[in-house]
């Protein structure tokens, strides 16, 4: 429920603007108060009348409207809300935000505010992929702007790819997450998840069977406790969680770069199954099959991302959590791994085939900390995630309070 939460909803110009009407309806259903702001472009797609009828509120459109200024000045308007939501956020508005421009009501509100901002980008796939948009997105994220979507799919222009605005219910979820008060509110937690793909040539790669389910569940549980989560994920087979800052990567090297770019963080959870080796002899052309000739692959060791972050002298997260998948002597191996990697906790699990854990929905873990090993009963991966997130919250709260843990 979003009872009594005040959302300032900026609707900019794109075909996805029609979904903003449904978004208003969903927000009202949950008890939110919605004040719409319609840009010039937005008004080409939806009318102020329909936005006003659905929100039951006045629609603001002009920066220099004396009546509006007399009722509520634009500075006040930008600060009165609990959250500013931009849906759809066009490439143009994102560029303005990233550049700090303020030449109309929407961009001025966004520059004048100290209220959290959530954007739901929507645009043509090429515009989304363009380096300028990706640069602006990175700037906005580092400014603390929250994002939801875009999703992949068919587009109004007939193309296929990333650029479809997130569905209204996904945006509602992201809004609820952004407004959630939890013990991790104000904390930034980095989570790695999924496998990595290490190319052999442009069409072939080496991978592993990680589904990304446990990492995804952990990210969800952290978001539910109010954390700002940066989710660095390899090509997983489960969909990414809502409400995170999503950083998709393929290789271990890309994962390391994304992790470095996401720091500083208060805590970091390394649930990814990172490939130990990459193909040093990877070809930039498809290797041809020749009768009787077998390709020779040579390997190079991948960087250990967990060990790198755990060993940082400056900017090390206060809590670094690693995972250990073992098939025997779980506690002994995981305890040694904790020391070797320099992390604070190791979440160890027995992945021998008879446990059915790898790829399954349950997990049986042992948490190794400085105090020793603590065995948790077998439970769903979601339950493991909830319990781990709660433990992280307690530990970080203690840290903030300056208490020894
Ligand atoms: O050494 P091993 O792969 O068993 O260690 C597992 C832990 O280390 C996991 O937390 C995993 O995410 C992390 N790891 C990493 N980078 C690597 C290898 C493992 O972050 N290259």
């Amino acid at each position: 429920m979003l009872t009594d939460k005040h959302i300032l909803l900026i609707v900019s110009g794109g075909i996805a603007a029609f979904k903003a009407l449904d978004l208003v309806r969903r927000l009202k259903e949950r008890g939110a108060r919605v004040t719409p702001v319609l840009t010039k472009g937005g008004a080409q797609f939806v009318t102020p009348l329909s936005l006003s009828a659905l929100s039951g509120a006045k629609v603001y459109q002009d920066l220099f409207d004396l009546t509006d200024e007399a009722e509520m000045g634009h500075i006040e308007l930008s600060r009165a809300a609990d959250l500013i939501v931009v849906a759809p956020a066009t490439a143009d508005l994102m560029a303005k935000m990233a550049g700090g421009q303020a030449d109309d009501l929407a961009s001025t509100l966004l520059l004048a505010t100290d209220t959290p901002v959530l954007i739901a980008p929507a645009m043509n796939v090429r515009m989304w992929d363009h380096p300028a948009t990706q640069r602006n997105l990175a700037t906005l994220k580092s400014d603390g702007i929250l994002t939801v979507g875009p999703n992949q799919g068919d587009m109004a222009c007939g193309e296929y790819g990333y650029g479809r605005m997130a569905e209204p219910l996904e945006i509602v979820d992201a809004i609820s997450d952004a407004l959630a008060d939890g013990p991790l509110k104000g904390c930034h937690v980095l989570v790695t998840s999924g496998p990595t793909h290490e190319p052999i040539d442009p069409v072939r790669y080496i991978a592993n069977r990680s589904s990304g389910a446990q990492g995804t569940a952990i990210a969800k549980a952290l978001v539910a406790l109010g954390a700002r989560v940066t989710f660095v994920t390899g090509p997983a087979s489960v969909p990414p969680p809502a409400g995170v800052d999503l950083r998709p990567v393929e290789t271990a090297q890309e994962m390391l770069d994304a992790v470095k770019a996401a720091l500083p963080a208060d805590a970091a959870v390394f649930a990814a199954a990172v490939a130990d080796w990459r193909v040093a002899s990877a070809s930039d052309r498809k290797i041809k099959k020749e009768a009787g000739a077998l390709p020779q692959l040579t390997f190079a060791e991948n960087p250990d991302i967990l060990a790198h972050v755990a060993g940082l002298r400056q900017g090390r997260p206060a809590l670094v959590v690693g995972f250990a998948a073992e098939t025997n002597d779980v506690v002994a191996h995981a305890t040694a791994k904790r020391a070797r990697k320099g992390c604070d906790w190791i979440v160890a699990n027995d992945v021998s085939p008879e446990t059915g854990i790898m790829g399954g929905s349950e997990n049986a873990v042992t948490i190794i900390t400085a105090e020793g090993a603590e065995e948790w009963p077998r439970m769903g991966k979601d339950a493991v995630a909830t319990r781990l997130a709660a433990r992280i919250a307690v530990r970080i709260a203690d840290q903030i309070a300056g208490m020894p843990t």
Side-chain angles (χ1 to χ4, degrees):
M1 288 306 280
L2 294 166
T3 316
D4 295 333
K5 294 291 182 194
H6 182 190
I7 314 284
L8 186 77
L9 175 65
I10 296 176
V11 180
S12 67
I15 186 68
F18 78 93
K19 291 197 211 168
L21 296 175
D22 191 30
L23 175 61
V24 173
R25 199 170 61 82
R26 306 278 185 184
L27 290 171
K28 295 289 289 177
E29 274 170 9
R30 285 160 180 76
R33 183 152 75 86
V34 181
T35 303
V37 171
L38 190 57
T39 68
K40 251 198 185 123
Q44 303 289 326
F45 295 91
V46 292
T47 67
L49 190 59
S50 42
L51 266 179
S52 165
L54 283 169
S55 64
K58 177 184 167 69
V59 177
Y60 290 84
Q61 287 184 274
D62 286 318
L63 182 55
F64 300 113
D65 186 319
L66 280 180
T67 324
D68 287 356
E69 285 296 315
E71 275 176 21
M72 187 191 263
H74 64 267
I75 301 286
E76 202 186 331
L77 187 60
S78 76
R79 298 190 185 161
D82 296 302
L83 182 71
I84 299 184
V85 177
V86 188
T90 58
D92 180 58
L93 186 51
M94 285 173 62
K96 277 188 184 164
M97 290 171 74
Q101 287 180 39
D103 63 354
D104 62 2
L105 180 60
S107 52
T108 305
L109 289 173
L110 287 160
L111 194 61
T113 196
D114 50 10
T115 302
V117 176
L118 170 75
I119 62 170
M123 65 198 72
N124 165 276
V125 56
R126 284 166 211 239
M127 292 170 78
W128 175 251
D129 285 340
H130 196 285
T133 303
Q134 290 303 314
R135 211 163 44 233
N136 291 334
L137 178 70
T139 303
L140 293 174
K141 284 181 174 176
S142 70
D143 288 348
I145 304 288
L146 305 167
T147 61
V148 52
N151 294 341
Q152 199 173 22
D154 288 320
M155 318 202 70
C157 51
E159 289 184 76
Y160 181 90
Y162 280 98
R164 279 172 65 95
M165 187 171 85
E167 294 305 320
L169 283 179
E170 285 174 71
I171 301 177
V172 170
D173 279 348
I175 291 173
S176 304
D177 292 340
L179 290 172
D181 260 331
L184 286 174
K185 182 116 188 142
C187 292
H188 177 212
V189 185
L190 168 69
V191 178
T192 70
S193 183
T196 62
H197 284 183
E198 306 296 334
I200 295 170
D201 67 19
V203 296
R204 305 179 178 97
Y205 57 83
I206 291 173
N208 63 64
R209 293 187 197 281
S210 166
S211 63
Q214 188 63 81
T216 300
I218 290 167
K220 268 188 199 158
L222 290 164
V223 167
L225 295 185
R228 176 166 74 84
V229 174
T230 302
F231 188 66
V232 180
T233 177
S237 49
V238 299
V244 297
D245 179 355
L246 182 65
R247 311 275 173 101
V249 296
E250 289 217 347
T251 65
Q253 189 58 54
E254 286 170 10
M255 188 171 274
L256 175 65
D257 293 344
V259 162
K260 283 182 179 167
L263 292 174
D266 298 291
V269 181
F270 293 88
V274 185
D276 291 313
W277 314 282
R278 66 178 174 280
V279 181
S281 56
S283 163
D284 51 11
R285 289 182 173 193
K286 186 180 170 194
I287 301 170
K288 286 284 171 212
K289 187 167 85 173
E290 278 163 31
L294 296 176
Q296 296 295 315
L297 299 182
T298 53
F299 289 89
E301 205 169 314
N302 266 333
D304 191 316
I305 305 166
L306 167 62
H308 169 81
V309 173
L312 285 175
R313 292 238 178 93
Q314 272 193 335
R316 182 192 190 273
L319 178 65
V320 177
V321 182
F323 276 69
E326 308 287 351
T327 51
N328 57 295
D329 300 323
V330 176
V331 172
H333 283 144
T335 304
K337 188 166 288 179
R338 177 178 172 274
R340 200 167 58 244
K341 302 249 184 183
C343 56
D344 303 294
W345 300 350
I346 282 274
V347 182
N349 52 6
D350 185 348
V351 292
S352 28
E354 62 274 18
T355 63
I357 282 172
M358 200 82 172
S361 62
E362 290 199 329
N363 209 347
V365 305
T366 303
I367 310 291
I368 316 280
T369 69
E371 284 76 44
E374 181 187 317
E375 202 176 317
W376 289 2
R378 191 174 170 123
M379 57 181 114
K381 285 185 177 170
D382 286 348
V384 169
T386 306
R387 195 158 160 177
L388 183 67
R391 266 300 264 281
I392 291 172
V394 170
R395 164 69 186 254
I396 288 184
D398 285 351
Q399 203 102 17
I400 290 167
M403 282 158 53
T405 52

